[in-house]
Amino acid sequence: MEPLTGYRELPADTMLERARASYQNLRCRRTVRDFDSRPVDRAVIEQCLLAAGTAPSGANQQPWHFAVITDPERKSQIRAAAEEEERSFYNGRAPEEWLRALAPLGTDANKPFLEEAPLLIAIFAQKYGIDAQGERFSHYYVPESVGIATGFLIAALHDAGLATLTHTPSPMGFLSKLCGRPESEKPVILLVVGHPKPGCQVPVHGGIKKPLAQISSWF
Ligand code: IYR
């Protein structure tokens, strides 16, 4: 054990002020699909990845890996593979109900942002660990842990003035090969990161959030 050093209690009014500021910052985040190609400083991304890596995880096993792709050739390969999957998704594989749910977003099989955005972060979940002897060991609460770390990452990128798209080409197995990741890891999210294109438009639908009374209850 060691002393808890990072925590400091805040006066009640400061607490409320900061909680409000945090909400006001996060409520401005919008998922963007139209990216400028301006590059982003690697040091900024590294700080955001470090922030993601502080997330709580099952048994502190940190069962995640973030593969950052900036190389145009690799981005093109990812776009080609993703669009192939998306074409089959939009042209038959997706059930009607799913397509109806997506209609307000206006998405289709075209994914130019996969080449236009300066960087893509492929997020991998480590289904199990491999020890120094090459033996497998169990990881616990993997989807929850990776989801929390991804949330931290999105919030850190937003705070740094970057826009993101939580993209989920389905299936996305092609990312394992393109990023050279082992069988023990499953790609779960392809986060598109960069600056929004000037004049970028976003769907009205995405900005409508459920009210507090609907998303919470108190006992
Ligand atoms: N992967 C597809 C479809 C898609 C699915 C969901 I759920 C979304 O919130 C958005 C899109 C695509 O990227 O177009």
Side-chain angles (χ1 to χ4, degrees):
M1 298 300 256
E2 62 180 350
L4 173 68
T5 52
Y7 173 83
R8 79 255 175 280
E9 186 167 329
L10 297 171
D13 55 345
T14 313
M15 206 187 263
L16 182 57
E17 215 172 273
R18 290 180 63 130
R20 283 203 174 111
S22 173
Y23 168 48
Q24 292 309 320
N25 172 39
L26 286 174
R27 73 183 294 221
C28 295
R29 185 205 59 79
R30 293 298 304 267
T31 290
V32 157
R33 291 186 171 77
D34 210 2
F35 287 87
D36 198 273
S37 58
R38 252 187 307 156
V40 173
D41 191 352
R42 177 173 174 152
V44 172
I45 300 303
E46 286 179 342
Q47 291 303 308
C48 295
L49 291 171
L50 284 167
T54 67
S57 62
N60 194 32
Q61 287 169 320
Q62 305 162 59
W64 43 66
H65 181 86
F66 302 96
V68 184
I69 302 114
T70 59
D71 171 43
E73 175 59 30
R74 213 170 289 242
K75 283 196 289 180
S76 298
Q77 290 169 345
I78 290 175
R79 178 182 178 181
E83 286 185 337
E84 192 179 324
E85 298 295 1
E86 297 294 357
R87 276 193 294 274
S88 82
F89 174 84
Y90 283 96
N91 300 327
R93 191 155 42 79
E96 268 308 307
E97 186 183 357
W98 195 341
L99 292 178
R100 266 200 307 281
L102 293 180
L105 299 177
T107 53
D108 59 27
N110 261 347
K111 306 296 176 194
F113 49 75
L114 292 175
E115 284 184 299
E116 288 167 2
L119 64 113
L120 311 174
I121 305 179
I123 303 174
F124 291 85
Q126 298 176 332
K127 294 176 281 183
Y128 50 87
I130 313 264
D131 68 18
Q133 283 70 48
E135 298 291 326
R136 284 182 186 202
F137 61 92
S138 295
H139 276 169
Y140 303 99
Y141 297 101
V142 172
E144 293 84 351
S145 303
V146 178
I148 296 168
T150 301
F152 274 35
L153 179 58
I154 293 170
L157 289 164
H158 171 69
D159 213 23
L162 290 166
T164 56
L165 163 61
T166 318
H167 183 42
T168 50
S170 163
M172 59 176 111
F174 63 86
L175 286 173
S176 300
K177 206 165 150 230
L178 288 173
C179 300
R181 300 311 301 167
E183 204 288 317
S184 54
E185 295 183 0
K186 177 182 178 228
V188 288
I189 287 167
L190 183 56
L191 201 66
V192 184
V193 183
H195 295 93
K197 234 182 223 167
C200 173
Q201 301 264 341
V202 290
V204 173
H205 175 77
I208 305 166
K209 301 300 180 188
K210 291 180 180 174
L212 187 59
Q214 203 179 333
I215 64 166
S216 60
S217 47
W218 293 65
F219 300 95

